[in-house]
Amino acid sequence: MTRNDPDVSQSGTAFGVTLRSLRRAARLTLEGLSEASGVSVRALGDLERGRSRGPQRRTVDALAAALELDGGQRERLQRLADAGRGRGGPTTPPHLLRTVADFTGRERELADLEALATTAGSRAAVLFGPGGQGKTTLAAEAVRRLAGHFPDGCVGVRLHGMSESPLPATEALVLVLTALGHPPDRIPVDLAAREAVYRSTLASRRALIVLDDAADEERTRPLLPDAEGSFVLVTSRRPLAGLEGVRRIRLGGLSGRESATLLQRILGAPRTDGQSEAIARLTELCGHLPLALRIVGNRLSSRPGWTPSRLADQLGDEERRLSGLVAGDLAVRSALALSYGQLTVPHRLLLRRLALLPGPDTGPGLAAVLTGEDVWTTEDSLDVLVDRGLLEEPAPGRYGLHDLVRLFAREQLDEEETRSVGLRMADWLLRSASAAGRWFEAPGAPEPWPGEVPAFAPASADEAEAWLTAERPHWVGALPLMFEAGRHREILHTSRTLYWFSDRWDQWPEWQSLFSYGARSAAALGDRAAEAHQFNCLAWAHSFSYQYEQAEQLAERALALATEAGDVGQQAWAWAYLTGARMNLERPAEAEQAAENAIRLFEATGDTTGKAVAQRARGSALREAGRPEEALAIHRALLGARAGDVPDLDNYMRAILQHETALDLLALRRWPEAAEAYRAVTVPATHKGIDHLQARALSGLATALEHCGDLAEAHTHYTRAHALYTALGDTTSAAQTAAAIERTRPADAARHPRSTATR
């Protein structure tokens, strides 16, 4: 870069040009300003020509009063004066851009910036993201790496976008032009004329301009080039979507490995060796936010006696975490407060109340319940929060808070309002879940209860299922709020309407929470029959989690409650669940007796669905007791009968009976028939996700094929079954299939002659 006068600092010249512009805008001569401010004409001339350093505060105050400047103009003039006295100017030559020796990660972003800055046709990029992500640090590192591509120099300007008085474009142009060596006395006063001079200057050079902390499009657009040659890099908490012809790079958190590496570089090997677990925990508590990680590293560096584990324990308390993420003038809370302070009142309210959500993300429907606004207005507000870097959008139409932003929003909620809106949210969630669950209920399901805010009303089973799946963490998370408020009837109502839907996603761990709260609510209401029903549901849920001992205990509790209440139907279901638990606990004789009890009681109540379930279970118990012929006869007979009037149950029961029949044939060592029967097993589409039935069918088919001597196909199905068992958490079955995989590897086929098929 070149300068007209080596004795004139860039910052001092910028102050002078700005002062002259303000004087002319006020239509004052040097003499007039001198008279109004009390500053001598000679001193004013030296200031405007950049021949003196930045004036003292009292001089700036006198000039600001004489020029009748508003608060923002006064602050900006004072900043330039401070810079002139060596307090850190807004312009920065390339060798003064503050890089850090422990810079970590961001290789993809740096590669993208290099490609943009060195590619013909690219003139500007916006590096945006939430506060604390290290945008300025990354920009400094980019300048360090790219400086060789820009022989006419690099200039950095702080636009103070997050302050109460962001730098206007007209003043920023002065700073850049003076830094590029443009004669100060030739900088026009008019904004349009300044833009023209700026663009013509950039067109004849190859320079890199960094505009740090841009507030908005209006203050940034005049600083963009309109010709190739120079490149402008903008950092901002917002994407500045209104700017034309720029590329945007969103900056998110570091990866887990990058976060750990950054802490290790800050602390050094002696402090981190053998501390990998504690370091990993610290990175999680920091949410992989670079600012938080640097604060943690600096805190540990300043306390040699502290271990990473100690600080992790301290930050583990959510109530203290933001207070703990402070090191000197670095503070996560302060960074978030800057963004929060620039929001409108409705946007602040939405951000605060999003902290009430039990789950990690949500759609605009539930967010609208929190604010009382309509869905379309709420969706627009959510997008604003995304643009401001306070909200993340992990998937289209789904919005979530970063962990540290959630803690900040919760603090603001506690300071500015009560959490009574949380109960309204919980009420809406359970009523919506009940309305969705009715699409899968048997005839006669209870109607949803009315409420202050209309509940979500799905128009189809597919829409209902999509909502129940997407909002699962929320409606389950609403249960403790409703229980604490004594809303036991509503909890029980929700549990009943989701009873049959639970069959479609039988592996969800949340069923245990739902039915547990259902049982506690029924007990609080003194309804023993309802309590028995909920304990039966709990027994079912524990069975699908392979917790058979707990399932047996819960079914026994249900049986006792149902007997006390005189509820024969729930007694029957309790015996049915005892059948399954005892059979999985390898007590087939007791399981058969339990099944006979269930069949007898189901017949007494006319429950054909329950009777079919119990008959199927009795057949399974007979097979496990060494009577597979009887089991096969029962299961084949049931294949031709209807399971009852529950939607989709016939298809599901048919798949189970097909599987049971195949198991019976395996027990009878009728291998080819068993393989054929297994190929007929199809899990209906109404039962979603990774289903244990699929895994069992695959391993059963593989077993039959292995005994038929088809080791290659058996190996394929064992492998698929092992993957499903592993995903389901069924470690016992996973270990068994792993052994079978080794046994049937193609390389071992020569050691398994086909004669073994008759074993």
Side-chain angles (χ1 to χ4, degrees):
M1 293 186 297
T2 61
R3 299 175 183 164
N4 281 349
D5 184 350
D7 296 328
V8 177
S9 71
Q10 295 172 19
S11 299
T13 302
F15 178 90
V17 174
T18 301
L19 178 61
R20 184 171 65 252
S21 297
L22 292 170
R23 176 175 62 78
R24 291 177 177 176
R27 299 180 181 276
L28 289 174
T29 62
L30 279 174
E31 291 77 7
L33 180 58
S34 173
E35 182 178 351
S37 65
V39 180
S40 70
V41 172
R42 180 177 178 178
L44 289 173
D46 287 344
L47 286 172
E48 287 193 3
R49 287 190 292 274
R51 292 178 178 173
S52 65
R53 298 168 63 89
Q56 299 297 318
R57 177 171 292 276
R58 62 178 180 274
T59 303
V60 176
D61 289 342
L63 292 172
L67 294 167
E68 299 182 353
L69 302 183
D70 60 29
Q73 291 173 314
R74 181 188 296 263
E75 181 181 338
R76 289 190 294 273
L77 194 64
Q78 185 62 59
R79 280 203 298 258
L80 292 176
D82 291 342
R85 294 195 302 276
R87 297 186 184 177
T91 61
T92 313
H95 58 279
L96 293 181
L97 280 173
R98 201 178 76 82
T99 58
V100 291
D102 50 29
F103 184 87
T104 302
R106 307 301 194 195
E107 294 303 323
R108 180 180 60 81
E109 291 86 351
L110 285 166
D112 290 344
L113 286 173
E114 182 174 7
L116 290 172
T118 57
T119 300
S122 297
R123 300 194 300 272
V126 175
L127 185 64
F128 73 100
Q133 295 288 7
K135 298 179 291 295
T136 300
T137 303
L138 175 57
E141 180 67 16
V143 169
R144 187 184 71 80
R145 298 191 186 190
L146 295 173
H149 295 284
F150 297 95
D152 293 315
C154 308
V155 175
V157 180
R158 299 191 187 104
L159 300 182
H160 301 283
M162 296 308 297
S163 72
E164 294 183 359
S165 55
L167 195 68
T170 181
E171 295 179 29
L173 285 167
V174 171
L175 300 177
V176 178
L177 284 169
T178 54
L180 289 171
H182 192 85
D185 56 351
R186 297 183 185 178
I187 298 177
V189 175
D190 179 69
L191 174 60
R194 281 186 185 175
E195 284 188 51
V197 171
Y198 170 70
R199 292 198 170 96
S200 65
T201 300
L202 290 187
S204 61
R205 305 186 185 196
R206 183 155 180 77
L208 174 59
I209 312 297
V210 178
L211 307 176
D212 187 39
D213 190 18
D216 52 39
E217 292 87 345
E218 181 183 0
R219 292 177 176 85
T220 308
R221 187 176 287 109
L223 295 158
L224 299 181
D226 59 3
E228 294 182 22
S230 294
F231 187 78
V232 172
L233 173 59
V234 184
T235 73
S236 177
R237 296 196 183 189
R238 302 173 58 190
L240 305 181
L243 294 182
E244 310 87 354
V246 303
R247 296 290 296 274
R248 292 171 179 83
I249 299 175
R250 181 180 179 89
L251 204 59
L254 297 174
S255 69
R257 186 170 67 176
E258 289 171 341
S259 298
T261 300
L262 177 57
L263 283 181
Q264 289 162 355
R265 288 179 176 175
I266 294 173
L267 294 171
R271 295 287 300 278
T272 57
D273 286 348
Q275 294 285 323
S276 58
E277 185 176 340
I279 293 293
R281 188 178 171 210
L282 281 173
T283 64
E284 291 294 330
L285 292 170
C286 291
H288 305 291
L289 185 73
L291 174 61
L293 292 164
R294 186 159 296 282
I295 288 171
V296 163
N298 290 357
R299 285 195 66 189
L300 288 171
S301 295
S302 64
R303 292 168 173 82
W306 280 35
T307 64
S309 295
R310 175 175 177 177
L311 184 54
D313 290 341
Q314 184 185 97
L315 296 179
D317 182 353
E318 287 191 349
E319 299 298 325
R320 301 173 57 194
R321 189 173 305 162
L322 288 180
S323 296
L325 290 174
V326 177
D329 62 349
L330 298 179
V332 170
R333 183 185 283 113
S334 299
L336 296 174
L338 285 174
S339 294
Y340 183 74
Q342 294 194 340
L343 298 176
T344 64
V345 172
H347 293 155
R348 290 183 188 180
L349 181 140
L350 174 58
L351 182 71
R352 291 194 304 268
R353 294 185 175 180
L354 285 173
L356 292 168
L357 294 175
D361 58 67
T362 190
L366 177 53
V369 175
L370 294 171
T371 62
E373 299 278 0
D374 63 83
V375 173
W376 304 115
T377 300
T378 302
E379 189 167 19
D380 289 342
S381 296
L382 290 166
D383 287 335
V384 168
L385 293 180
V386 171
D387 284 349
R388 297 298 176 91
L390 289 167
L391 203 59
E392 299 172 345
E393 191 174 9
R398 301 294 297 181
Y399 304 88
L401 294 169
H402 184 280
D403 288 346
L404 297 179
V405 178
R406 181 186 297 275
L407 295 179
F408 175 82
R410 190 182 301 165
E411 286 184 350
Q412 303 308 308
L413 182 72
D414 290 339
E415 289 178 7
E416 301 182 40
E417 57 182 304
T418 67
R419 296 195 185 187
S420 58
V421 68
L423 184 59
R424 183 178 71 178
M425 171 195 70
D427 175 271
W428 183 88
L429 280 165
L430 291 198
R431 285 188 294 109
S432 298
S434 294
R438 292 189 75 254
W439 280 92
F440 311 97
E441 264 290 357
E447 292 290 335
W449 71 92
E452 177 185 346
V453 181
F456 169 71
S460 67
D462 287 344
E463 187 179 356
E465 186 161 36
W467 186 91
L468 285 167
T469 302
E471 304 297 349
R472 175 174 35 143
H474 296 302
W475 55 259
V476 174
L479 294 169
L481 291 173
M482 294 289 278
F483 187 84
E484 184 178 349
R487 303 286 292 277
H488 303 304
R489 294 189 186 280
E490 289 89 341
I491 291 174
L492 200 55
H493 186 288
T494 304
S495 180
R496 284 170 168 166
T497 51
L498 291 176
Y499 174 69
W500 285 109
F501 175 76
S502 63
D503 262 337
R504 300 167 68 88
W505 295 91
D506 47 35
Q507 295 294 321
W508 281 3
E510 287 82 1
W511 298 128
Q512 292 189 20
S513 295
L514 175 63
F515 298 135
S516 178
Y517 273 104
R520 294 169 63 190
S521 291
L525 294 169
D527 188 337
R528 292 292 178 265
E531 192 178 357
H533 178 226
Q534 295 302 297
F535 271 105
N536 271 329
C537 294
L538 271 174
W540 169 87
H542 280 74
S543 291
F544 276 98
S545 298
Y546 315 109
Q547 299 168 305
Y548 302 119
E549 291 182 355
Q550 295 95 320
E552 182 181 30
Q553 294 168 6
L554 291 163
E556 288 173 342
R557 176 64 175 153
L559 180 60
L561 287 164
T563 302
E564 178 185 344
D567 189 324
V568 178
Q570 289 306 315
Q571 291 176 47
W573 279 109
W575 282 116
Y577 292 127
L578 283 169
T579 302
R582 289 171 179 174
M583 189 166 61
N584 282 294
L585 291 170
E586 299 181 355
R587 289 148 52 193
E590 293 180 54
E592 183 193 356
Q593 183 59 55
E596 290 178 351
N597 291 339
I599 293 168
R600 174 175 52 81
L601 293 173
F602 280 131
E603 287 176 342
T605 60
D607 186 342
T608 57
T609 296
K611 180 181 177 181
V613 170
Q615 286 176 319
R616 190 267 304 166
R618 179 174 178 266
S620 302
L622 287 170
R623 180 185 64 243
E624 297 304 314
R627 297 155 65 184
E629 287 284 4
E630 295 175 63
L632 181 62
I634 291 173
H635 291 144
R636 281 181 167 171
L638 287 169
L639 273 172
R642 283 182 57 82
D645 298 322
V646 179
D648 300 321
L649 187 60
D650 271 337
N651 290 335
Y652 185 49
M653 282 292 292
R654 181 172 183 80
I656 292 176
L657 287 168
Q658 288 172 332
H659 180 257
E660 294 287 1
T661 300
L663 282 172
D664 298 336
L665 291 167
L666 277 185
L668 290 166
R669 306 171 73 83
R670 290 155 62 173
W671 313 120
E673 291 179 71
E676 184 179 355
Y678 271 119
R679 293 187 192 281
V681 177
T682 54
V683 179
T686 54
H687 285 68
K688 310 293 184 178
I690 299 175
D691 198 315
H692 66 286
L693 183 58
Q694 292 175 318
R696 293 172 63 194
L698 285 168
S699 60
L701 174 58
T703 300
L705 290 170
E706 181 182 1
H707 283 88
C708 289
D710 192 344
L711 300 181
E713 188 177 357
H715 179 82
T716 298
H717 294 307
Y718 277 134
T719 303
R720 292 175 59 197
H722 179 264
L724 290 178
Y725 281 131
T726 301
L728 289 166
D730 185 349
T731 55
T732 300
S733 298
Q736 292 172 349
T737 49
I741 289 171
E742 293 300 318
R743 189 173 64 242
T744 57
R745 284 193 184 281
D748 296 338
R751 295 195 292 274
H752 290 76
R754 294 187 64 86
S755 60
T756 61
T758 59
R759 286 182 301 183

